[in-house]
Every structure is written in C-alpha cells, then in structure tokens.
Amino acid sequence: MSKKVAVITRGNSDILKVLKDNKVAMDIFKPGSLPKEGLGEYSSFILLGGDQEEPLFLHPGERIFVEQELKKGKKVFAEYCGSIGSVYFENPSTTRFHRLVFSANKAPIKGIDHGDILDDQCGTRIRPHKEFCSTEEPVLRYMNFHSHKAYKDIDKSEFDSSDRALWFEKENLLICGFRLASFVQGRYAPIKKIHALVGYILSWVVEEAITMDRVKPVYSIKGPEKMKALEGDKLKEAVEESTKAALNWLSSSKLIIDEGKGGIYEGYGTEIYPDGGQRFADLIRADCAGEAAMVNFFDYLYSGSKERAVIADNLTSFVYDTMQIKEEGPYKGMVRWSNQAFETCYQDDVARAINGHLLRCIITGERSYLEETKAALDFMIRTTGTDGTRIMRTDICSLSEERIKELSETPGNLASAHYNAYYLGTMLLYYKLTGEESYKEMAVKGLTTIMNTYPDTVREQSQTEEYCRLILPLSWLYWITREEEHKAWLYKVTEGLQQFKHSSGAYVEWDEGYKATMRNTKGDGECSLLAENGDMVVDLLYSNNWLPLAFIQAYYITGDELFKKLWEENVRFILGIQLISEDEKLNGAWARGFDVEYMEYFGSPADAGWGPWAMESGWTIGEIAAGLYMGLLEDKVKAVFNS
C-alpha cells in the first residue's frame, strides 16, 4: 500500500494549505464524494470541519468507511467533526472568554511547555459528551480564568472532561474539538506555539515531518529592535511613514462618517472570528471624534492637506454642535458620551473630546468654540467635589438639582488619574486661552489632591496606567504655573514610571498591591490585561498610548532633553509594533495588548468589552498618531509651549 493521505473537507483552509505546501501525497474529498469501493488504499485520514461554522458530519455510509480504517489501526485526525468513533458532541459554542491550556504529559511538543496558554481568539468549539469520550488528560483543555501566558497549577486544577479541546481518544485517533483549520486567518496565538502545535498534529497523522516555514501570518511588525538604530532624519522618516499609515487606517477602515460630519465609529472589538472577521465597534463616541479631529488637524499642520483640515473641522463640529446639550437648565454644556449612553458624562472622555481643539487654538491663535468649551467645563465643575475631583461619571437620570448641589459641596474622593487628570488638564488649557483664574484654581486643587495620594492614586487598570496618565496634565500644570513644586511632581512621576520600562522602550503593566479596580475575570466586566506582576504585557489602550503626546509636550514645556529621549525611545517601540497587513482593518493600526517577550499581540481576553485585539479610533490610534505628529511639528510648535 502506498503512503497516501485521504483528506475529507468541505472547502479550503489554512491546514489544507500547509499540507499542500509540504507536498503531502493526498487525495482531497468532499463529503458525499468518497470512493464507493472504500478507503483501503489510504494510510491515514484527516477530517477537517473547521473551514465552516457547522461541524463536519459524514453520511453514515461514508462514516462506515472511515470507521473501518480506524479499527485497522490507521491514524485519523478529526478536527471539528461532529461525531467520530464513540464520541459525539454538543452544539457549537463560542470560546470568547476561554483559553487553551497545554496540559499533556505524554505529548511533548517542542516550543510548548506544560501549562502554556494558547488563544483561538473568539473561536468556536464543540464540547464532547463526557459519557462518550476518554477520561485521559488531553493535549489541550479549555479553561476560563484570567492569566497572561501560562497556567502554573494546571495539574492541581479541577477538570471537566467535556472541556477537552485536543486529545487522543485512542492511540490512532486524535480529536480536535475546535476550529483549528483556520488558525492563520483567525490570528491564533502565540504564533510560534500555534505553528508548533499544527506541525506536531500533521506530522503525527501523515507520518512525515511537516514544516511551517511557508505559513504567512495575517500581520507582521517591523520589530522594536530594528527601530533602535534610527536617529535624526531616519527616525523622522519612519515617524512620517507611521503617521501616514495610521491616517490611512482611519480612512480605509471606513470609520469616519460623512467626512466627519457624522462623527467616527469607535473602531474594532477584540473578537476575532475563525473566518478572519473582527467585530466592528459601531458606537459613535464624542471622545473618539475629538481625538480623531486632533490627529487630522496635526496632519494638516504638518502636510498642508486641506482634506484633513475639513475632516478635523467636521469632527470638531460634531463634538460641540451634535454631542453637546445646548438647552438652558442644569445639564447645559454636558457633552454626551456616545449614541448608546446618550445621557452619560465621563469627564475624562469629555476632556479628550476637546483637548485637541484647545491645543489647536493655542497653536494657531484661533478662538472658536471657547464658549462651548466653557459650558462643557462649567457643567462638570458644578458636579466636581470640594477636593477638585469628580466622581467617575454622572447620568442625567439620577442628576437632580439636589444631587448636583451635594456633589459640589462634598469631596469627590476620586484621586484617580484615569478619571480626573485629563479633565483637570483641560481646565489648564482653557485658562491658557482665556486667563480665567477659577479654572486654573480648580485644576491646581484637583491635581494637588491626586499628587497628595501618589503613588497610591485610585487605579482602574494598573499603576502603570496612572503614571502614564499623569505626565501630560502635570506638564501642562508646570507650563501654566511655573512653580517648582509642580515641576518636581512631573519629574517624580516620570521617574516612577521608569521602573516599569522594558528594554524595547515600552512600559509594561504593573500594579503594586493589586489595587486596581478593573480586576474582573471571565468576562464579568472590564479587566486589566495584567493578571500578575511580571507579565510582560503592554497596554496601548490605557497606558502606553498616552506617552508619545505626553513625553513630547513635557519636552517642549521644560526644554529638558530627558523627555525628548524618552519620547524617541517610546516612539521607536511604537513604530516597531505598528501592524503591517494586507487586511485594511489591520494595516497601520495598533491593538490594545502586546507581549514584549513573544513580540506579538497577545493577552488575556477577560475584559468584556476591550480585550487585547481592541483597536480604538480615538484612544489608541488617534492618541498615538497625535503624539507622533506633535514630534514632527517641533519646529512649528515648540516655541508655543516653551513660552
């Protein structure tokens, strides 16, 4: 008998391409087209169901052919197959908050260690009915927990036998209960470990070495190491290329609505499906609009693009003319959070909705929308406590005149950079434009409250986040007051942040004492990417995304080359991890979670809304690109901020 593999599948898949690339001797059959004389001429069998949403089921007559060969001892790999041998499965379910954990003791795979976590993103699995499957330890099991890259106590953990994901049902029958066939387009991670897994499986079933050399992932990065040598004009050219790619992402992803007149969509959620699709985050938010306006305007300042100027104007108008309440009354001036939470106001989000425009006014001398800015600040000030901090959010449904009075006459007790630092910074910018002392006084009061608690500020995601979010407002504080104490605060936080610095130029997540609020797990709510201090994970939604703009502003304001150096180091990291892809929804963007050991996008999916693959038009791409542009604009704007 010749050594030949029978592959039964309904269509193309990444695994099928690997087999073809390795020139495996095989015949490919669709269900219903198996030879009538049976399958006796084949040495092994691969059943691939993961190319489609519904599992593969063979017709009973063809099923008998496969089972006969299985009983002869021939090897069978059954992937996402609804029934094989004695095993059959539940209906398909999502793997959104589950992790694949390598738990085998008898199936060593080079490059994968016991307890390692692998992600099939927002995949699909079929759980075997436990009464009809093996009770042996599987190669991979599904678990629901918050951890970064390994589950250390895998052997001590409880195990539901139905949560097996990849296992040997018999010595010659290897079953995969999830859609592994689409491992490339589904962005399964970590890439090297997934490749090692697929290579192991296929080598086992075809009984020859399968290489993964020709597998091309959906995205690539240049890598921070390659960026480290960039200096002077070379660095400038790389930053120019990066900003252009980021702006192209905003355009090609069709996020900007009617040239900005209708605002901008939030971006993409973290959910990546096995077919390569990704959830479109279709909320229309004021903060994303303001941040996108900022980066489009900075591009206009740098390149002279009239198209970008129009988009910036339209997005700014959307913030002030559409999302702001104009009616007289207690809510006048409130900037709405989004088209979903239409009566909600987060002060941090409002700040980022309008900070870009205030910077525009400071740089150019414009005076537009200052009355509207005043109204937005006045509404929030009316609900700010006596300590200069504001509660995390206000909602019209519970914001009576009595409640407003209560909020203004008691401490806010929220010494949090996450919620209040940028809000207080906005008041400093407004003061710079108008000279109205009350706004400076409120900002000084609030930032003093926060710094009096430092380093134990109220944390949402991490200690790293709090430090990152303080640098820009503290830079503006020193710019406005020129007080040595305020300058000392800026240097103190900057120095404190350095303890989290990685050699790549990134700042990893850390949370001393695990005090951050967002430590929900298993999709119960919002959650930090950090599971345990020491995780080499970088957050570009809550932490590192603020740094390019913060460091360069600190440099302009202080004139200290230290901040220019920090900007360059961090920017080299940012340039090195920008996504390069033929997929328009990826190319030129940055996602939330990046692992600086794996050097790829990877992280815990526990956050219910914004996991490691979330890509925000404002918070991430808008803020990062704005910080890159601010560096490019040094010759035009540095003097403005050094006065």
Side-chain angles (χ1 to χ4, degrees), residues 478-497:
Y478 174 60
W479 182 40
I480 297 302
T481 69
R482 291 298 174 181
E483 292 187 11
E484 287 301 314
E485 181 183 27
H486 298 158
K487 182 180 182 180
W489 288 349
L490 171 60
Y491 280 83
K492 184 177 183 179
V493 174
T494 301
E495 182 181 353
L497 180 61

PDB file of all heavy atoms in Angstrom, residues 478-497:
ATOM      1  N   TYR A 478       2.801  72.563  35.086  1.00  0.00           N
ATOM      2  CA  TYR A 478       4.043  73.319  35.230  1.00  0.00           C
ATOM      3  C   TYR A 478       4.117  74.440  34.195  1.00  0.00           C
ATOM      4  O   TYR A 478       4.599  75.547  34.484  1.00  0.00           O
ATOM      5  CB  TYR A 478       5.245  72.391  35.102  1.00  0.00           C
ATOM      6  CG  TYR A 478       6.559  73.124  35.108  1.00  0.00           C
ATOM      7  CD1 TYR A 478       6.934  73.905  36.210  1.00  0.00           C
ATOM      8  CD2 TYR A 478       7.417  73.080  34.002  1.00  0.00           C
ATOM      9  CE1 TYR A 478       8.133  74.612  36.209  1.00  0.00           C
ATOM     10  CE2 TYR A 478       8.610  73.778  34.002  1.00  0.00           C
ATOM     11  CZ  TYR A 478       8.959  74.546  35.103  1.00  0.00           C
ATOM     12  OH  TYR A 478      10.140  75.254  35.100  1.00  0.00           O
ATOM     13  N   TRP A 479       3.641  74.185  32.993  1.00  0.00           N
ATOM     14  CA  TRP A 479       3.620  75.202  31.944  1.00  0.00           C
ATOM     15  C   TRP A 479       2.822  76.438  32.384  1.00  0.00           C
ATOM     16  O   TRP A 479       3.235  77.569  32.151  1.00  0.00           O
ATOM     17  CB  TRP A 479       3.004  74.581  30.691  1.00  0.00           C
ATOM     18  CG  TRP A 479       2.926  75.458  29.483  1.00  0.00           C
ATOM     19  CD1 TRP A 479       3.864  76.339  29.047  1.00  0.00           C
ATOM     20  CD2 TRP A 479       1.858  75.499  28.543  1.00  0.00           C
ATOM     21  NE1 TRP A 479       3.451  76.932  27.880  1.00  0.00           N
ATOM     22  CE2 TRP A 479       2.227  76.434  27.542  1.00  0.00           C
ATOM     23  CE3 TRP A 479       0.639  74.824  28.427  1.00  0.00           C
ATOM     24  CZ2 TRP A 479       1.390  76.719  26.452  1.00  0.00           C
ATOM     25  CZ3 TRP A 479      -0.169  75.096  27.341  1.00  0.00           C
ATOM     26  CH2 TRP A 479       0.191  76.038  26.378  1.00  0.00           C
ATOM     27  N   ILE A 480       1.690  76.175  33.061  1.00  0.00           N
ATOM     28  CA  ILE A 480       0.809  77.268  33.464  1.00  0.00           C
ATOM     29  C   ILE A 480       1.340  77.985  34.702  1.00  0.00           C
ATOM     30  O   ILE A 480       1.338  79.217  34.776  1.00  0.00           O
ATOM     31  CB  ILE A 480      -0.612  76.739  33.736  1.00  0.00           C
ATOM     32  CG1 ILE A 480      -1.219  76.146  32.454  1.00  0.00           C
ATOM     33  CG2 ILE A 480      -1.505  77.823  34.323  1.00  0.00           C
ATOM     34  CD1 ILE A 480      -1.296  77.109  31.294  1.00  0.00           C
ATOM     35  N   THR A 481       1.801  77.241  35.704  1.00  0.00           N
ATOM     36  CA  THR A 481       2.154  77.865  36.990  1.00  0.00           C
ATOM     37  C   THR A 481       3.634  78.207  37.113  1.00  0.00           C
ATOM     38  O   THR A 481       3.991  79.127  37.858  1.00  0.00           O
ATOM     39  CB  THR A 481       1.780  76.936  38.155  1.00  0.00           C
ATOM     40  OG1 THR A 481       2.646  75.785  38.149  1.00  0.00           O
ATOM     41  CG2 THR A 481       0.322  76.510  38.082  1.00  0.00           C
ATOM     42  N   ARG A 482       4.488  77.433  36.448  1.00  0.00           N
ATOM     43  CA  ARG A 482       5.945  77.560  36.565  1.00  0.00           C
ATOM     44  C   ARG A 482       6.412  77.459  38.017  1.00  0.00           C
ATOM     45  O   ARG A 482       7.467  77.976  38.376  1.00  0.00           O
ATOM     46  CB  ARG A 482       6.434  78.870  35.945  1.00  0.00           C
ATOM     47  CG  ARG A 482       6.316  78.912  34.428  1.00  0.00           C
ATOM     48  CD  ARG A 482       7.173  77.836  33.777  1.00  0.00           C
ATOM     49  NE  ARG A 482       6.955  77.777  32.323  1.00  0.00           N
ATOM     50  CZ  ARG A 482       7.554  76.926  31.508  1.00  0.00           C
ATOM     51  NH1 ARG A 482       8.396  76.034  32.002  1.00  0.00           N
ATOM     52  NH2 ARG A 482       7.309  76.913  30.231  1.00  0.00           N
ATOM     53  N   GLU A 483       5.666  76.725  38.805  1.00  0.00           N
ATOM     54  CA  GLU A 483       6.053  76.519  40.200  1.00  0.00           C
ATOM     55  C   GLU A 483       6.966  75.306  40.306  1.00  0.00           C
ATOM     56  O   GLU A 483       6.722  74.262  39.686  1.00  0.00           O
ATOM     57  CB  GLU A 483       4.813  76.336  41.076  1.00  0.00           C
ATOM     58  CG  GLU A 483       3.962  77.590  41.204  1.00  0.00           C
ATOM     59  CD  GLU A 483       2.832  77.427  42.205  1.00  0.00           C
ATOM     60  OE1 GLU A 483       2.853  76.412  42.953  1.00  0.00           O
ATOM     61  OE2 GLU A 483       1.947  78.299  42.238  1.00  0.00           O
ATOM     62  N   GLU A 484       8.003  75.417  41.117  1.00  0.00           N
ATOM     63  CA  GLU A 484       8.980  74.341  41.257  1.00  0.00           C
ATOM     64  C   GLU A 484       8.348  73.070  41.811  1.00  0.00           C
ATOM     65  O   GLU A 484       8.752  71.962  41.447  1.00  0.00           O
ATOM     66  CB  GLU A 484      10.141  74.796  42.142  1.00  0.00           C
ATOM     67  CG  GLU A 484      11.075  75.781  41.465  1.00  0.00           C
ATOM     68  CD  GLU A 484      11.693  75.205  40.193  1.00  0.00           C
ATOM     69  OE1 GLU A 484      12.166  74.043  40.234  1.00  0.00           O
ATOM     70  OE2 GLU A 484      11.694  75.903  39.168  1.00  0.00           O
ATOM     71  N   GLU A 485       7.384  73.216  42.693  1.00  0.00           N
ATOM     72  CA  GLU A 485       6.717  72.027  43.241  1.00  0.00           C
ATOM     73  C   GLU A 485       6.033  71.246  42.133  1.00  0.00           C
ATOM     74  O   GLU A 485       6.103  70.006  42.097  1.00  0.00           O
ATOM     75  CB  GLU A 485       5.691  72.427  44.303  1.00  0.00           C
ATOM     76  CG  GLU A 485       4.983  71.215  44.914  1.00  0.00           C
ATOM     77  CD  GLU A 485       3.909  71.594  45.917  1.00  0.00           C
ATOM     78  OE1 GLU A 485       3.342  72.699  45.790  1.00  0.00           O
ATOM     79  OE2 GLU A 485       3.634  70.774  46.827  1.00  0.00           O
ATOM     80  N   HIS A 486       5.385  71.957  41.234  1.00  0.00           N
ATOM     81  CA  HIS A 486       4.676  71.280  40.145  1.00  0.00           C
ATOM     82  C   HIS A 486       5.658  70.652  39.161  1.00  0.00           C
ATOM     83  O   HIS A 486       5.406  69.567  38.623  1.00  0.00           O
ATOM     84  CB  HIS A 486       3.749  72.269  39.445  1.00  0.00           C
ATOM     85  CG  HIS A 486       2.686  72.818  40.345  1.00  0.00           C
ATOM     86  ND1 HIS A 486       2.027  74.006  40.114  1.00  0.00           N
ATOM     87  CD2 HIS A 486       2.164  72.333  41.511  1.00  0.00           C
ATOM     88  CE1 HIS A 486       1.148  74.228  41.078  1.00  0.00           C
ATOM     89  NE2 HIS A 486       1.229  73.225  41.946  1.00  0.00           N
ATOM     90  N   LYS A 487       6.779  71.285  38.945  1.00  0.00           N
ATOM     91  CA  LYS A 487       7.828  70.687  38.120  1.00  0.00           C
ATOM     92  C   LYS A 487       8.360  69.419  38.784  1.00  0.00           C
ATOM     93  O   LYS A 487       8.581  68.399  38.112  1.00  0.00           O
ATOM     94  CB  LYS A 487       8.961  71.691  37.923  1.00  0.00           C
ATOM     95  CG  LYS A 487      10.095  71.187  37.039  1.00  0.00           C
ATOM     96  CD  LYS A 487      11.185  72.244  36.887  1.00  0.00           C
ATOM     97  CE  LYS A 487      12.304  71.769  35.972  1.00  0.00           C
ATOM     98  NZ  LYS A 487      13.373  72.786  35.828  1.00  0.00           N
ATOM     99  N   ALA A 488       8.517  69.477  40.095  1.00  0.00           N
ATOM    100  CA  ALA A 488       9.006  68.306  40.832  1.00  0.00           C
ATOM    101  C   ALA A 488       8.036  67.141  40.708  1.00  0.00           C
ATOM    102  O   ALA A 488       8.456  65.977  40.628  1.00  0.00           O
ATOM    103  CB  ALA A 488       9.226  68.670  42.299  1.00  0.00           C
ATOM    104  N   TRP A 489       6.735  67.449  40.718  1.00  0.00           N
ATOM    105  CA  TRP A 489       5.739  66.384  40.545  1.00  0.00           C
ATOM    106  C   TRP A 489       5.922  65.690  39.199  1.00  0.00           C
ATOM    107  O   TRP A 489       5.861  64.462  39.105  1.00  0.00           O
ATOM    108  CB  TRP A 489       4.329  66.960  40.624  1.00  0.00           C
ATOM    109  CG  TRP A 489       3.892  67.375  41.995  1.00  0.00           C
ATOM    110  CD1 TRP A 489       4.510  67.112  43.170  1.00  0.00           C
ATOM    111  CD2 TRP A 489       2.720  68.131  42.315  1.00  0.00           C
ATOM    112  NE1 TRP A 489       3.816  67.648  44.213  1.00  0.00           N
ATOM    113  CE2 TRP A 489       2.699  68.282  43.725  1.00  0.00           C
ATOM    114  CE3 TRP A 489       1.702  68.704  41.568  1.00  0.00           C
ATOM    115  CZ2 TRP A 489       1.688  68.969  44.382  1.00  0.00           C
ATOM    116  CZ3 TRP A 489       0.680  69.391  42.223  1.00  0.00           C
ATOM    117  CH2 TRP A 489       0.681  69.523  43.619  1.00  0.00           C
ATOM    118  N   LEU A 490       6.113  66.458  38.146  1.00  0.00           N
ATOM    119  CA  LEU A 490       6.302  65.894  36.804  1.00  0.00           C
ATOM    120  C   LEU A 490       7.502  64.960  36.777  1.00  0.00           C
ATOM    121  O   LEU A 490       7.423  63.837  36.248  1.00  0.00           O
ATOM    122  CB  LEU A 490       6.486  67.030  35.794  1.00  0.00           C
ATOM    123  CG  LEU A 490       6.901  66.621  34.381  1.00  0.00           C
ATOM    124  CD1 LEU A 490       5.875  65.695  33.755  1.00  0.00           C
ATOM    125  CD2 LEU A 490       7.131  67.858  33.517  1.00  0.00           C
ATOM    126  N   TYR A 491       8.602  65.385  37.362  1.00  0.00           N
ATOM    127  CA  TYR A 491       9.814  64.554  37.358  1.00  0.00           C
ATOM    128  C   TYR A 491       9.644  63.330  38.268  1.00  0.00           C
ATOM    129  O   TYR A 491      10.159  62.247  37.971  1.00  0.00           O
ATOM    130  CB  TYR A 491      11.028  65.376  37.784  1.00  0.00           C
ATOM    131  CG  TYR A 491      11.583  66.216  36.662  1.00  0.00           C
ATOM    132  CD1 TYR A 491      11.032  67.457  36.360  1.00  0.00           C
ATOM    133  CD2 TYR A 491      12.637  65.756  35.889  1.00  0.00           C
ATOM    134  CE1 TYR A 491      11.538  68.233  35.313  1.00  0.00           C
ATOM    135  CE2 TYR A 491      13.154  66.518  34.843  1.00  0.00           C
ATOM    136  CZ  TYR A 491      12.593  67.751  34.562  1.00  0.00           C
ATOM    137  OH  TYR A 491      13.090  68.508  33.525  1.00  0.00           O
ATOM    138  N   LYS A 492       8.912  63.506  39.343  1.00  0.00           N
ATOM    139  CA  LYS A 492       8.691  62.397  40.279  1.00  0.00           C
ATOM    140  C   LYS A 492       7.904  61.272  39.606  1.00  0.00           C
ATOM    141  O   LYS A 492       8.262  60.087  39.720  1.00  0.00           O
ATOM    142  CB  LYS A 492       7.944  62.905  41.509  1.00  0.00           C
ATOM    143  CG  LYS A 492       7.736  61.871  42.604  1.00  0.00           C
ATOM    144  CD  LYS A 492       7.048  62.522  43.811  1.00  0.00           C
ATOM    145  CE  LYS A 492       6.900  61.534  44.964  1.00  0.00           C
ATOM    146  NZ  LYS A 492       6.257  62.172  46.141  1.00  0.00           N
ATOM    147  N   VAL A 493       6.839  61.628  38.899  1.00  0.00           N
ATOM    148  CA  VAL A 493       6.030  60.618  38.215  1.00  0.00           C
ATOM    149  C   VAL A 493       6.817  59.996  37.064  1.00  0.00           C
ATOM    150  O   VAL A 493       6.774  58.768  36.852  1.00  0.00           O
ATOM    151  CB  VAL A 493       4.712  61.228  37.708  1.00  0.00           C
ATOM    152  CG1 VAL A 493       3.945  60.214  36.864  1.00  0.00           C
ATOM    153  CG2 VAL A 493       3.855  61.684  38.880  1.00  0.00           C
ATOM    154  N   THR A 494       7.540  60.821  36.325  1.00  0.00           N
ATOM    155  CA  THR A 494       8.351  60.301  35.216  1.00  0.00           C
ATOM    156  C   THR A 494       9.382  59.302  35.724  1.00  0.00           C
ATOM    157  O   THR A 494       9.587  58.232  35.125  1.00  0.00           O
ATOM    158  CB  THR A 494       9.052  61.454  34.479  1.00  0.00           C
ATOM    159  OG1 THR A 494       8.065  62.363  33.982  1.00  0.00           O
ATOM    160  CG2 THR A 494       9.893  60.935  33.335  1.00  0.00           C
ATOM    161  N   GLU A 495      10.025  59.636  36.832  1.00  0.00           N
ATOM    162  CA  GLU A 495      10.998  58.717  37.427  1.00  0.00           C
ATOM    163  C   GLU A 495      10.322  57.442  37.906  1.00  0.00           C
ATOM    164  O   GLU A 495      10.841  56.335  37.717  1.00  0.00           O
ATOM    165  CB  GLU A 495      11.717  59.397  38.590  1.00  0.00           C
ATOM    166  CG  GLU A 495      12.784  58.531  39.236  1.00  0.00           C
ATOM    167  CD  GLU A 495      13.473  59.210  40.410  1.00  0.00           C
ATOM    168  OE1 GLU A 495      13.210  60.410  40.652  1.00  0.00           O
ATOM    169  OE2 GLU A 495      14.272  58.542  41.089  1.00  0.00           O
ATOM    170  N   GLY A 496       9.166  57.590  38.524  1.00  0.00           N
ATOM    171  CA  GLY A 496       8.439  56.414  38.993  1.00  0.00           C
ATOM    172  C   GLY A 496       8.048  55.490  37.853  1.00  0.00           C
ATOM    173  O   GLY A 496       8.081  54.260  37.989  1.00  0.00           O
ATOM    174  N   LEU A 497       7.703  56.067  36.707  1.00  0.00           N
ATOM    175  CA  LEU A 497       7.302  55.262  35.556  1.00  0.00           C
ATOM    176  C   LEU A 497       8.449  54.409  35.034  1.00  0.00           C
ATOM    177  O   LEU A 497       8.220  53.319  34.494  1.00  0.00           O
ATOM    178  CB  LEU A 497       6.780  56.184  34.453  1.00  0.00           C
ATOM    179  CG  LEU A 497       6.306  55.530  33.156  1.00  0.00           C
ATOM    180  CD1 LEU A 497       5.144  54.574  33.418  1.00  0.00           C
ATOM    181  CD2 LEU A 497       5.897  56.592  32.142  1.00  0.00           C
TER     182      LEU A 497
END
